[in-house]
Amino acid sequence: MWLHRTDTTFKLKTKGDNYTGVELDIVYYPEVNSFDNSHDQAFEIDYPLEDMLAILGGTQHKFWLDFKNLNVYNAERSLAKLEELLAAYGIDKSRAIVESPNYRELKHFKDAGFYTSFYVPTDVKYLRTKEGQNEFIDKVRQVAASGNVNAVSFPVEFYELVKRADIDKDLLLWDLGGRWWAFFVDPQR
């Protein structure tokens, strides 16, 4: 079990020890070559990723970096910055998952030794029709065949579709509902 949207140092310090790992949303700002620990882009860095890494450096926590704005223009520079930050805080990259819907640019991170995960498209249109389901399955297969990712990540509602893709990648799931305990008692989970 991982702590979702760990967006403040307070949350990390007070709740982080109760979980296997923590999920951090990150946004890269190329203008200042820095990351914000934020779910959405803003005009300035309000929650520097460095603050979280300073805490994580003194622990053995694993962390899931949900990279919100990875793209072709920032991939190489953001990779260099992330490696610099991890080195500064004595954190081995094997503790990190780098996730993005941009699987092509995740190749840079995978080639650098990071564990990478493709955030699958989670539009409910893929659940409604046979055509949508086939489109979804084809996309998951395409990404898996690219060699750019170690895993695919998605909400539990998409599990059956991802399983039908029959890929040889790790599956990282989440359930943000109030029934977290269902993973332990519900055979459907």
Side-chain angles (χ1 to χ4, degrees):
M1 302 285 285
W2 290 55
L3 182 61
H4 178 248
R5 200 175 283 182
T6 312
D7 54 0
T8 65
T9 55
F10 178 78
K11 187 173 183 178
L12 178 59
K13 288 178 184 177
T14 58
K15 297 182 178 181
D17 287 340
N18 298 323
Y19 295 87
T20 304
V22 296
E23 185 247 4
L24 308 171
D25 296 310
I26 61 171
V27 175
Y28 178 71
Y29 290 90
E31 309 81 31
V32 292
N33 192 29
S34 193
F35 285 96
D36 196 17
N37 178 204
S38 175
H39 190 270
D40 303 302
Q41 286 187 285
F43 296 107
E44 61 186 31
I45 295 177
D46 296 317
Y47 305 100
L49 179 60
E50 290 90 342
D51 294 350
M52 302 300 268
L53 295 178
I55 296 167
L56 289 168
T59 72
Q60 290 303 310
H61 278 91
K62 295 181 180 183
F63 50 99
W64 182 323
L65 300 173
D66 183 350
F67 199 151
K68 297 296 185 184
N69 69 332
L70 177 62
N71 61 53
V72 67
Y73 304 107
N74 68 21
E76 291 181 16
R77 194 159 174 225
S78 63
L79 168 61
K81 183 62 177 182
L82 183 58
E83 288 184 312
E84 173 189 315
L85 290 171
L86 294 182
Y89 294 101
I91 301 172
D92 190 287
K93 66 178 77 174
S94 67
R95 292 172 45 196
I97 298 170
V98 179
E99 174 194 56
S100 173
N102 188 334
Y103 74 93
R104 287 180 177 93
E105 301 314 316
L106 281 173
K107 178 177 182 3
H108 298 282
F109 291 82
K110 186 168 188 245
D111 288 350
F114 282 94
Y115 182 94
T116 59
S117 185
F118 171 60
Y119 182 103
V120 300
T122 56
D123 191 319
V124 293
K125 71 179 183 182
Y126 295 115
L127 300 175
R128 292 189 183 132
T129 67
K130 187 71 169 164
E131 294 79 24
Q133 293 174 8
N134 289 338
E135 182 182 339
F136 179 89
I137 290 167
D138 289 345
K139 179 67 171 181
V140 170
R141 286 178 177 156
Q142 174 189 356
V143 171
S146 74
N148 296 351
V149 299
N150 302 94
V152 295
S153 45
F154 52 92
V156 68
E157 293 83 7
F158 287 80
Y159 178 73
E160 290 303 322
L161 276 181
V162 173
K163 285 299 287 182
R164 283 178 34 206
D166 193 31
I167 58 172
D168 185 23
K169 298 293 175 197
D170 293 338
L171 307 181
L172 308 179
L173 295 83
W174 62 84
D175 185 353
L176 301 179
R179 296 183 51 208
W180 61 267
W181 46 268
F183 282 106
F184 300 105
V185 297
D186 183 348
Q188 292 293 322
R189 300 291 189 189

